[in-house]
Amino acid sequence: MMNKISYFRCFLIGTMLSAFSFSSLAQSVIIPIESKSNAIVLQAKQGSIPKVVYFGTRLPNKDEYSKISAQYRQGTDYSGIFNAAYTPSGSRNLIEPAISVTHADGNNSLDLGYVSHETRTLGNGVSETLVILKDPAYPFQVSLHYKVYANEDVVEQWTTIRHQEKKPVVLHKYASANLFLKANSYWLRQYHGDWAKEMQPEESKLTYGIKTLDSKLGTRAHLYQPPVFMISFDNPSMEDQGSVLYGQVEWSGNFRVDLELDPLNNLHITAGANNHASDYSLKPKEEFKTPVFLYTFSDKGKGDASRKLHRWARNYRILEGNGERLTLLNNWESTFFNFTETKLAQLLKDTRKLGVDLFLLDDGWFGNKFPRNSDNAGLGDWQENRQKLPGGIASLVKEADANGVKFGIWLEPEMVNPKSELYLKHPDWIIKQPNREEYLYRNQLVLDLSNPKVQDFVFNTVDGLFSMKNSPAYIKWDCNAVIYNAYSSHLSNQSHLYLDYVQGLYNVLERIRAKYPKIPMMLCSGGGGRVDYAALKYFTEFWPSDNTDPLERIFIQWEYSHFYPAIVSANHVTDWGKQAIKFKTDVAMSGKLGYDIDIAHLNEKDLQFSQEAVQTYNSIKHLVWHGDQYRLLDPWTNDVSAMMYSNDTGTSAVMFSYLVGNRYGDESKSPIPLKGLDPQKNYRISEINLYPGSKSAVDSNATYSGSFLMKVGINPVINSGRKSVVLQITEIKN
């Protein structure tokens, strides 16, 4: 959050680089911020706050942006700044501000006038526009940053704040972005949930006033509400048509998004870190950098917006986004806390038998004075339990190597049980009020990552595992508690805790990635309690939900797919649900496949199917991980759900179909039109991942044109006897 020295700070205090094109004009200037298809256009005049005059599809002629404002006759804006690019409070503003401060002299007003702007090219279709604003009465400066990924139509926006007043200035609100949108009406698709009920959607028409989406949980901050949403213009969101904006706060802590429909029917989106209990005292010459607000816009519906965001994520954000992933077998549901070295050795053999890449040892491997035999003890004491693992982690790594598989391990390094040596030795490292009774979440408390000593402890915990001669090859990083009774023994200003905690987490992850840039890590937080693109900078995948019932997962994974590509969605075959193992596997295959079952308990045919399924998955995973995703049939409104992935040339694709209805006669009654193919090519369709002894109901000898498949479609023959079907679509080359 707070960078003492940054590239732009150096620039602002006088360092000029020739790569910048600098503008400081006395008259009105148009600032078009354009991507391949879209544009945000500001109009600025020296000393006055910049205004947003356009947001939408890019115009071929830039000169016409200056003509847009004159076409609106909505009524009177008494303040004159409804469409401010970054709305200050305390002066003439009449709506929700983006920024609110108390100056060193106690004045609560803020005015922001345009000083200059510049755009620099960062290469590969990426550019950054910087707009500098200053208060005419105070040495207080705000810089607006717009980082544009032109080819993907994605924008990252953030703000830096600094001043040269004699004493600290208190920041009460500090949004990352302040969008201004125009349409006849606006529809919000938001998400809510809880443990095992992640990503529950709700769509409604926005009415006048303010709708706030936020979190105040501190850690695992996205448990009740994730920091993602979408706005559709004039109609509820549609998959392949209509204008839609996807938004996300890239922040793993408390976030806040205000959506305000003003009296003139304009929509204001003010997004960033939540200022709840988080006034920030900014010292003179210190720089405050807000989290990033990410958004993309499409006039071709949700599907196009998703694919843009997925391509951006794979190319620029997710660790190894265009790389490979490990399939794994996890021991949790087969052993829980009750295991021995002998039992794990057998599971390692089962890992080889199944054919996956890695065995993951979950919770319960640590603690001696307070052994981790349940979730009420041992957390924080990261030494191998000598009774369970007399040979330690190193012996398990050797055993994994002997079986030709890799070894991974579970950690929850930000947390502590009161029943632990760490709790007894370092009570000052724990977030808790000194004068209030402890209130536990899942029998645990949160370590104070605002404290550099705690950051060192967490880093050293991970470093100690990775630096062993026989070290793990994978980490599952969990985070299961929220912050109660927020108080830091380290901080003198308690209102900094929520911000400094998250920055402390990022500091640790930066250090880990600097030393171990390639080690795969799963981002887990009791499921989707911490899933955002700031965190995914450091992780190769995330755990969408502890709810692995495949029917439930169809819906959860469907909603996540709007914002995250399949390569980061860790989908496991488990004992949850009463469905057949084929159905469970077909659902898990639509992301990053994994297993959490006891292989020894599978019957002969289920084991054979699972072994063949891993091989089948290996033949199609490049399409799932790196292909363009197309949502075909929505599970919320149909008896059958369908999704497909196609390569960028349209020569190969894979389609997943599932029965989600449970009424008599529910089945795929009509063909399902496909997407992402070449209408001029011819294709053959074959059913894959069949259960041993079963036959396909799909004719694999028939030939179809891409035009036929996209206009008419294919019926996968889903019914109560065929509840899931995976189809491979392959170009027939003459």
Side-chain angles (χ1 to χ4, degrees):
M1 283 282 295
M2 284 59 67
N3 300 329
K4 300 296 183 182
I5 298 176
S6 74
Y7 182 85
F8 280 107
R9 178 180 170 188
C10 293
F11 171 78
L12 294 175
I13 62 176
T15 301
M16 297 290 292
L17 296 178
S18 60
F20 286 93
S21 173
F22 202 93
S23 174
S24 180
L25 304 177
Q27 57 186 11
S28 181
V29 60
I30 294 293
I31 309 172
I33 303 166
E34 295 181 317
S35 64
K36 182 179 178 180
S37 306
N38 304 325
I40 308 159
V41 183
L42 310 183
Q43 186 171 17
K45 186 175 181 180
Q46 196 72 30
S48 298
I49 194 162
K51 312 287 182 64
V52 179
V53 295
Y54 183 71
F55 184 104
T57 305
R58 177 177 178 170
L59 300 183
N61 184 357
K62 290 184 180 182
D63 293 338
E64 292 191 310
Y65 289 131
S66 62
K67 303 175 183 178
I68 293 174
S69 296
Q71 304 306 311
Y72 287 90
R73 297 288 187 271
Q74 292 175 278
T76 303
D77 170 7
Y78 302 108
S79 69
I81 59 170
F82 270 7
N83 61 337
Y86 197 71
T87 310
S89 70
S91 53
R92 66 181 192 270
N93 174 46
L94 299 175
I95 59 175
E96 183 66 25
I99 183 169
S100 177
V101 308
T102 297
H103 293 283
D105 64 2
N107 192 319
N108 289 324
S109 67
L110 183 64
D111 195 7
L112 294 174
Y114 168 77
V115 176
S116 59
H117 74 276
E118 67 275 347
T119 298
R120 64 168 180 156
T121 299
L122 304 178
N124 196 28
V126 183
S127 65
E128 185 171 343
T129 296
L130 175 69
V131 181
I132 300 173
L133 313 177
K134 186 181 180 300
D135 190 308
Y138 290 88
F140 187 95
Q141 185 170 280
V142 172
S143 300
L144 308 181
H145 302 255
Y146 299 82
K147 189 172 184 180
V148 178
Y149 301 83
N151 296 329
E152 294 80 14
D153 287 321
V154 167
V155 178
E156 289 188 298
Q157 188 174 339
W158 69 95
T159 303
T160 52
I161 305 166
R162 64 190 303 269
H163 71 91
Q164 296 186 36
E165 299 186 27
K166 294 181 179 180
K167 294 181 180 180
V169 170
V170 179
L171 308 181
H172 303 293
K173 190 173 184 183
Y174 30 81
S176 304
N178 190 187
L179 303 188
F180 177 81
L181 310 176
K182 286 183 176 291
N184 294 320
S185 60
Y186 312 86
W187 295 78
L188 167 68
R189 189 177 182 91
Q190 65 184 93
Y191 297 89
H192 63 92
D194 200 342
W195 178 80
K197 296 185 290 186
E198 290 81 2
M199 290 298 285
Q200 302 300 304
E202 184 175 357
E203 190 161 21
S204 59
K205 184 178 181 181
L206 286 171
T207 57
Y208 289 99
I210 297 179
K211 170 81 171 183
T212 297
L213 313 176
D214 74 343
S215 167
K216 303 181 181 71
L217 281 65
T219 56
R220 199 179 176 181
H222 308 161
L223 173 63
Y224 296 147
Q225 186 156 354
V228 296
F229 65 94
M230 63 181 81
I231 298 292
S232 56
F233 297 67
D234 300 327
N235 294 288
S237 58
M238 294 177 282
E239 190 66 26
D240 297 308
Q241 58 184 307
S243 295
V244 62
L245 170 80
Y246 278 23
Q248 177 184 135
V249 182
E250 294 185 29
W251 184 241
S252 306
N254 297 339
F255 67 89
R256 175 174 171 177
V257 179
D258 295 315
L259 304 117
E260 180 173 15
L261 194 59
D262 72 25
L264 304 184
N265 202 50
N266 307 303
L267 181 61
H268 305 255
I269 301 177
T270 308
N274 199 337
N275 56 322
H276 164 72
S278 296
D279 285 354
Y280 192 84
S281 182
L282 185 66
K283 298 174 183 177
K285 298 183 181 180
E286 179 186 7
E287 184 177 86
F288 183 97
K289 179 182 176 182
T290 69
V292 169
F293 178 57
L294 169 76
Y295 50 95
T296 188
F297 172 82
S298 174
D299 60 3
K300 299 179 180 64
K302 295 186 291 185
D304 182 59
S306 288
R307 288 184 288 278
K308 289 177 177 179
L309 197 53
H310 294 172
R311 285 192 289 271
W312 169 84
R314 290 193 298 264
N315 290 336
Y316 297 102
R317 181 48 43 86
I318 297 165
L319 192 67
E320 295 291 307
N322 291 308
E324 297 297 309
R325 294 295 186 270
L326 298 170
T327 54
L328 61 83
L329 174 65
N330 193 346
N331 73 299
W332 179 245
E333 291 195 15
S334 59
T335 69
F336 295 100
F337 294 101
N338 185 25
F339 55 82
T340 63
E341 207 167 82
T342 302
K343 173 63 176 175
L344 295 179
Q346 180 57 50
L347 292 177
L348 283 163
K349 290 180 173 62
D350 290 341
T351 306
R352 180 181 61 182
K353 182 190 295 186
L354 181 60
V356 295
D357 305 311
L358 176 138
F359 172 76
L360 173 61
L361 175 59
D362 215 290
D363 196 356
W365 58 269
F366 51 90
N368 288 294
K369 183 176 181 180
F370 302 100
R372 182 72 166 177
N373 295 322
S374 69
D375 68 3
N376 67 357
L379 202 58
D381 300 343
W382 300 106
Q383 307 85 30
E384 298 102 323
N385 180 281
R386 289 186 292 270
Q387 185 174 358
K388 292 182 183 179
L389 305 177
I393 297 299
S395 69
L396 293 174
V397 175
K398 289 181 180 178
E399 185 70 23
D401 289 342
N403 282 281
V405 298
K406 296 181 182 297
F407 181 84
I409 201 162
W410 177 96
L411 282 175
E412 193 174 0
E414 300 164 67
M415 305 293 161
V416 62
N417 287 128
K419 196 173 180 181
S420 69
E421 293 184 85
L422 181 65
Y423 179 93
L424 297 175
K425 290 178 181 178
H426 296 288
D428 57 319
W429 285 10
I430 299 166
I431 295 176
K432 58 177 182 175
Q433 289 280 354
N435 57 346
R436 301 203 183 275
E437 183 179 354
E438 290 177 356
Y439 192 77
L440 306 182
Y441 191 107
R442 200 187 169 190
N443 298 311
Q444 62 195 59
L445 295 166
V446 180
L447 294 177
D448 181 9
L449 276 175
S450 73
N451 186 337
K453 292 181 180 179
V454 177
Q455 294 175 32
D456 288 343
F457 169 78
V458 174
F459 171 78
N460 290 334
T461 297
V462 178
D463 186 45
L465 285 169
F466 283 159
S467 60
M468 294 190 305
K469 183 179 179 181
N470 296 292
S471 61
Y474 179 100
I475 278 186
K476 177 182 177 182
W477 184 301
D478 216 338
C479 170
N480 285 302
V482 301
I483 292 178
Y484 291 126
N485 293 326
Y487 180 85
S488 166
S489 298
H490 169 71
L491 294 175
S492 58
N493 191 333
Q494 295 303 313
S495 66
H496 290 196
L497 176 58
Y498 286 123
L499 299 175
D500 287 358
Y501 181 92
V502 180
Q503 189 58 53
L505 170 65
Y506 293 159
N507 290 344
V508 172
L509 292 169
E510 286 283 353
R511 291 172 65 186
I512 291 170
R513 283 309 176 195
K515 190 169 183 179
Y516 305 102
K518 299 291 187 180
I519 296 290
M521 296 202 303
M522 179 198 291
L523 173 63
C524 181
S525 191
R530 180 195 276 166
V531 183
D532 62 87
Y533 277 119
L536 284 172
K537 203 173 146 182
Y538 308 104
F539 293 85
T540 49
E541 60 218 60
F542 75 93
W543 184 238
S545 177
D546 281 346
N547 185 343
T548 53
D549 181 310
L551 184 59
E552 296 284 346
R553 269 300 192 105
I554 289 170
F555 293 85
I556 292 172
Q557 291 166 196
W558 180 274
E559 295 304 331
Y560 273 120
S561 77
H562 287 100
F563 302 96
Y564 304 103
I567 191 171
V568 293
S569 182
N571 305 340
H572 289 186
V573 179
T574 76
D575 288 332
W576 279 49
K578 298 180 180 179
Q579 301 86 352
I581 196 166
K582 172 176 165 51
F583 187 89
K584 294 179 177 184
T585 306
D586 288 351
V587 172
M589 273 182 156
S590 65
K592 206 221 79 168
L593 176 66
Y595 289 83
D596 200 337
I597 53 177
D598 193 337
I599 301 300
H601 289 172
L602 295 179
N603 64 42
E604 183 178 350
K605 278 197 171 182
D606 282 357
L607 176 59
Q608 179 188 345
F609 167 77
S610 298
Q611 291 169 325
E612 292 173 353
V614 171
Q615 296 177 31
T616 299
Y617 182 72
N618 287 339
S619 71
I620 62 167
K621 64 186 181 184
H622 63 286
L623 286 171
V624 177
W625 294 351
H626 307 129
D628 286 331
Q629 184 181 62
Y630 294 90
R631 291 180 292 270
L632 306 179
L633 281 183
D634 190 331
W636 299 98
T637 55
N638 296 279
D639 298 331
V640 172
S641 174
M643 182 181 289
M644 68 176 286
Y645 301 86
S646 173
N647 65 9
D648 56 6
T649 59
T651 59
S652 181
V654 61
M655 173 184 173
F656 299 89
S657 304
Y658 314 110
L659 182 67
V660 295
N662 60 2
R663 301 294 300 274
Y664 176 77
D666 285 348
E667 60 182 341
S668 56
K669 297 180 175 67
S670 304
I672 302 171
L674 308 188
K675 301 174 186 178
L677 303 179
D678 186 332
Q680 305 302 319
K681 296 182 185 298
N682 290 319
Y683 296 89
R684 181 166 286 122
I685 295 180
S686 58
E687 183 173 353
I688 59 175
N689 216 40
L690 287 160
Y691 192 80
S694 64
K695 295 182 179 180
S696 175
V698 176
D699 184 358
S700 62
N701 295 314
T703 299
Y704 306 91
S705 70
S707 179
F708 177 91
L709 290 173
M710 292 193 290
K711 291 179 179 178
V712 178
I714 189 78
N715 194 323
V717 194
I718 294 282
N719 53 48
S720 59
R722 284 170 51 86
K723 293 186 177 181
S724 63
V725 172
V726 183
L727 299 179
Q728 189 164 22
I729 302 102
T730 307
E731 178 193 7
I732 301 172
K733 296 183 179 180
N734 296 326

